[in-house]
Amino acid sequence: MFNRRTMLMSLMLAPVAARADGGRTVSGDDFRGGLEQWRMEAIGDARVSARNGILDIDAPAGATLWFLPALVAPVAIRYEVRAVAQGGPHDAVSDVNAFWMATDPAVPDGSVLGRRRSGAFEDYDRLKTYYVGIGGNRNSTTRMRRYVGRMGERPLLPEHDRLAKADMLTPNAWFAIGLIADGHHIAVERDGAPLFEMDDPAPYRRGHFGLRTTQSHIQVRNLTITHG
C-alpha cells in the first residue's frame, strides 16, 4: 500500500534532497553508495560499511559516525536500527545511541566537523547537543540528555532515565527511531510512540547528527531527514 512512509522512502535519493508536500525537504541516505556522507571517529579498528541498503557499524570500543550535511530545525531524523547478535566478537547487544543538533563551541563556526575526536565518550562532553542512548551500559539503561558544552557534565533528568526491560534492546530486532527538534519541542520516538520529550526553553536549532555505539555491532537502514 502507498502511504506516507512509502512516499518518504521514495524521495530518499541521497545525497540529493527532494521536495515533499507542504514545502518540506526530505534527504537522507539509502546506504547503497558507500560512506561519502559520513565521517568516523573511533577508538581501535572499527569496521564500517554501507551497501545493499544497510549501514553496518562493528566497533570494538567507542565510535561515532557523523552525517556530513548540517541540519537546521525544524527537523525530524528517522531510521531503523538493530543491535546484531550473530556470534561476532562485538555482538554485545548494547548502545544504540545518537547525537542530534550537535555543535562544538570550541570551533569558530561551531561545526562538530571542525576538529576530530578520539571516539572516547568523554570527548563529546564539550558539545552542545541532544543525546539518546538506548540499551546503554550493556543493555541496562535507556536515557536522553541535553549536553551543555562543559567537560564532565551530562545532565540527566529523572524522567529521562529508563530502566525497564521493555525500554531495552532485543537482539537482532529492527525498530524505528525518530529524533525531533521542532522549536522548543525536542523528542525521541520509538516505533512511532514517544519515548522521551522535552520542552527546551533554549533549544539547539542547528547542528549535526551522529550515530554512536561502543563495544557493539549495530546496523541502520532507511534514513530519512525531513526539514521544515
Side-chain angles (χ1 to χ4, degrees):
M1 180 180 294
F2 188 88
N3 52 27
R4 182 173 181 272
R5 177 180 174 81
T6 304
M7 180 190 75
L8 291 178
M9 292 299 111
S10 68
L11 290 169
M12 191 183 62
L13 301 175
V16 179
R19 300 300 296 181
D21 292 343
R24 294 170 298 163
T25 303
V26 180
S27 62
D29 199 330
D30 62 5
F31 301 121
R32 297 183 184 278
L35 296 167
E36 291 84 357
Q37 295 198 92
W38 300 88
R39 191 181 82 179
M40 173 66 81
E41 297 170 343
I43 300 172
D45 187 21
R47 295 182 297 169
V48 183
S49 64
R51 56 179 177 265
N52 301 321
I54 301 290
L55 175 67
D56 188 278
I57 306 172
D58 191 354
T64 300
L65 194 60
W66 291 112
F67 188 59
L68 296 180
L71 308 180
V72 179
V75 65
I77 306 160
R78 301 188 187 279
Y79 53 97
E80 296 173 336
V81 61
R82 69 173 178 173
V84 177
Q86 297 177 351
H90 311 128
D91 290 10
V93 187
S94 181
D95 286 278
V96 170
N97 309 335
F99 300 104
W100 74 108
M101 315 315 287
T103 60
D104 187 343
V107 175
D109 67 357
S111 174
V112 295
L113 306 178
R115 65 184 179 100
R116 285 188 176 271
R117 297 157 199 84
S118 70
F121 194 35
E122 57 269 21
D123 280 3
Y124 300 88
D125 284 3
R126 296 191 188 278
L127 300 183
K128 291 186 175 181
T129 185
Y130 304 111
Y131 170 83
V132 64
I134 299 176
N137 298 300
R138 304 298 90 183
N139 207 20
S140 65
T141 61
T142 290
R143 294 168 171 168
M144 175 183 170
R145 300 178 187 265
R146 180 185 182 275
Y147 280 42
V148 295
R150 292 189 291 270
M151 193 68 188
E153 292 190 35
R154 302 172 194 159
L156 178 63
L157 299 175
E159 62 268 30
H160 293 162
D161 187 8
R162 302 286 186 86
L163 301 174
K165 184 177 180 180
D167 295 319
M168 304 307 153
L169 300 167
T170 300
N172 299 314
W174 290 100
F175 62 100
I177 291 290
L179 307 175
I180 312 300
D182 185 1
H184 297 281
H185 179 64
I186 311 301
V188 179
E189 298 174 354
R190 181 171 182 172
D191 288 330
L195 180 62
F196 298 113
E197 294 184 283
M198 172 189 293
D199 183 15
D200 188 352
Y204 301 144
R205 299 183 181 274
R206 61 178 60 242
H208 282 82
F209 161 60
L211 294 162
R212 169 80 187 174
T213 194
T214 184
Q215 294 178 295
S216 193
H217 182 189
I218 66 172
Q219 293 179 332
V220 176
R221 67 187 183 189
N222 296 334
L223 171 67
T224 60
I225 300 176
T226 305
H227 312 258

